[in-house]
Amino acid sequence: MNSFPEPDHIQMLRETLLRFIEKEMPLELVRKWDRENYFPRDVHEKLAALGLMGLTVAEEYGGGGRDIRATMVAIELLCGRSMAVGGPYIQSACYAGLNIAEVGSDRQKRELLPRVVSDGMIFAYGISEPDVGADVAAVRTTAKIVGERLLINGAKRFCSGATIADYIYTLARTGPAEERHRNLTLVLVPTRAEGITFEAQDALGLKGTGTYDVTFDDVSVPLENIVGEEAGWNKAWPMLAGPGLDIEKMEVAAMALGIAAAAVDEAWAYAQERRQFGKPISAFQSVRHMLADVRTKLHACRVVTYQAASALDSEGKAPVETSMAKLFVCQTAQEIVLTCQQILGAYGYIKEFDMERHVRDILIMPILGGSSAIQKNNICNMLRLEK
């Protein structure tokens, strides 16, 4: 069933990725990466060699041209198989590629974007802090100009992929705290810089990249590492709240869609293989109804996701549609996966079956990239609902 019509180049991308996944990401390896919280860098490099990171980069920098819908297809398929590969793909194509393309200086684009395309360069987000979540304008990490360099001090939390990244895309306070939005700057902090320490957090899911507390103790970086260089000083808020935020919401929606699709495929196959009372459990009406529900919800999720992605490609921004997609898809995908787990019964709770991994991974999706409550607030505010 074609949930949303796809142009020929995206159909070809989907077919290419499915072949790549079967060859380079077999389930026995996926399970091993999850158990060991392991990042398969060789697979990441093979994705770069295929040109996958170039889906977010203009041709003049070696990419294939910005194509948000195609990027969401890649995220859906990769994350549906393994977050150990899908997560770093996002950190390369989106965190690095899209952000630098959107708000980097001309020099940063020339130097960094070809590395995204050819090497799969990875950024980790250094936005959240121990006491800062949705209210990112309250960050306490500071960056001060000392001579020709920046001196950075502070702490970040939930910094996924920090130890596998090339840079931490760090939000820092660069002026009086009471001015909030007007005194924020984004800085590229090399992960091997002196004065950085990493402390791993033991998260329930999203294995493969690791999640870390990151501490900056007099970390010194050149002024040219300011995102946007001189023009980016104290200008982080519009960089964060612009079109890049729409993309981040779509990344999480596509991740959730991929996980839900994998769960439906597993439950659909299991229901036809598992026999009870002399017949497959797919013959029982209660199971059939659950399978009909998850198929229908999955169809709706896919349509909502790719409609919003298409709006981004055609309009450049789509704040309402992307907030709606993030809200609906993440919540509905969670319902889908938990229903699929019920279809597997006790087998959906043990690690020998992939469903257990899908459950762990889907639980964070309504929280990542702006919680469901934040999306509801945003939708009402953007549609000018009277307060």
Side-chain angles (χ1 to χ4, degrees):
M1 183 176 67
N2 191 355
S3 299
F4 198 82
E6 292 184 336
D8 290 345
H9 78 282
I10 290 185
Q11 290 182 28
M12 291 176 61
L13 170 68
R14 192 178 286 276
E15 292 167 2
T16 298
L17 266 176
L18 287 172
R19 290 193 298 269
F20 179 91
I21 287 167
E22 288 306 310
K23 180 182 178 182
E24 305 291 346
M25 302 167 62
L27 284 172
E28 60 269 21
L29 275 182
V30 168
R31 294 161 188 154
K32 184 174 185 290
W33 299 335
D34 181 77
R35 285 194 307 271
E36 298 177 0
N37 200 12
Y38 174 76
F39 166 50
R41 187 172 289 276
D42 61 323
V43 178
H44 182 77
E45 291 172 351
K46 289 175 182 177
L47 280 175
L50 271 182
L52 263 292
M53 283 55 172
L55 294 175
T56 60
V57 176
E59 292 182 12
E60 63 183 299
Y61 303 113
R66 172 179 159 133
D67 190 333
I68 301 304
R69 191 168 163 189
T71 304
M72 295 307 119
V73 169
I75 293 171
E76 175 196 348
L77 294 179
L78 294 172
C79 291
R81 178 56 67 102
S82 171
M83 289 303 305
V85 175
Y89 172 75
I90 294 170
Q91 291 181 247
S92 181
C94 300
Y95 290 11
L98 280 171
N99 279 316
I100 293 301
E102 188 73 37
V103 298
S105 67
D106 289 341
R107 183 194 60 81
Q108 288 167 344
K109 292 175 185 178
R110 290 194 306 271
E111 292 185 4
L112 298 178
L113 291 178
R115 291 177 57 194
V116 172
V117 176
S118 63
D119 304 333
M121 184 176 64
I122 293 173
F123 282 9
Y125 273 173
I127 309 295
S128 298
E129 297 184 356
D131 295 317
V132 176
D135 184 14
V136 297
V139 294
R140 298 176 182 175
T141 295
T142 61
K144 296 181 180 180
I145 297 177
V146 180
E148 296 297 317
R149 300 183 72 82
L150 281 179
L151 202 62
I152 301 167
N153 285 279
K156 296 296 180 179
R157 175 153 287 176
F158 304 126
C159 194
S160 297
T163 60
I164 67 170
D166 298 275
Y167 292 97
I168 300 176
Y169 194 73
T170 304
L171 182 65
R173 170 73 54 202
T174 47
E178 58 269 19
E179 295 189 18
R180 286 172 58 82
H181 306 87
R182 291 198 295 274
N183 285 317
L184 297 170
T185 300
L186 285 162
V187 182
L188 298 179
V189 181
T191 52
R192 292 171 179 81
E194 186 175 349
I196 300 182
T197 57
F198 304 94
E199 183 178 351
Q201 296 169 310
D202 191 9
L204 180 67
L206 306 187
K207 302 296 186 181
T209 57
T211 301
Y212 295 86
D213 281 342
V214 179
T215 303
F216 304 111
D217 184 7
D218 282 345
V219 176
S220 177
V221 302
L223 291 177
E224 66 185 23
N225 283 32
I226 295 170
V227 177
E229 297 193 73
E230 184 178 349
W233 185 253
N234 286 338
K235 295 295 192 298
W237 186 253
M239 292 179 178
L240 289 170
L245 186 60
D246 288 348
I247 301 295
E248 184 180 8
K249 290 180 286 185
M250 292 309 304
E251 294 160 13
V252 183
M255 291 163 68
L257 174 62
I259 296 166
V264 170
D265 286 346
E266 185 175 2
W268 194 269
Y270 177 87
Q272 296 174 81
E273 296 165 359
R274 175 70 167 167
R275 300 185 67 84
Q276 291 289 280
F277 306 103
K279 61 178 72 174
I281 64 170
S282 59
F284 297 105
Q285 188 178 64
S286 60
V287 174
R288 295 177 74 84
H289 284 184
M290 285 193 285
L291 289 169
D293 282 342
V294 296
R295 280 287 185 193
T296 302
K297 290 178 179 179
L298 184 65
H299 171 79
C301 286
R302 185 163 281 121
V303 170
V304 169
T305 298
Y306 287 109
Q307 185 278 328
S310 295
L312 281 177
D313 277 328
S314 60
E315 305 296 329
K317 60 180 181 178
V320 176
E321 292 94 331
T322 54
S323 285
M324 288 179 171
K326 204 281 175 184
L327 171 66
F328 177 79
V329 175
C330 290
Q331 291 191 164
T332 306
Q334 190 175 94
E335 295 169 7
I336 290 170
V337 174
L338 293 178
T339 299
C340 290
Q341 185 189 37
Q342 291 180 49
I343 292 170
L344 267 69
Y347 290 106
Y349 196 68
I350 60 175
K351 291 183 180 292
E352 283 78 3
F353 282 73
D354 297 300
M355 191 65 68
E356 181 267 350
R357 183 178 74 256
H358 300 325
V359 170
R360 285 189 285 108
D361 287 342
I362 202 65
L363 292 177
I364 191 64
M365 294 299 150
I367 299 171
L368 282 181
S371 69
S372 292
I374 292 293
Q375 301 310 325
K376 291 176 182 178
N377 288 342
N378 290 343
I379 291 165
C380 290
N381 291 339
M382 288 184 289
L383 294 178
R384 304 184 187 280
L385 181 65
E386 187 174 354
K387 294 184 179 179

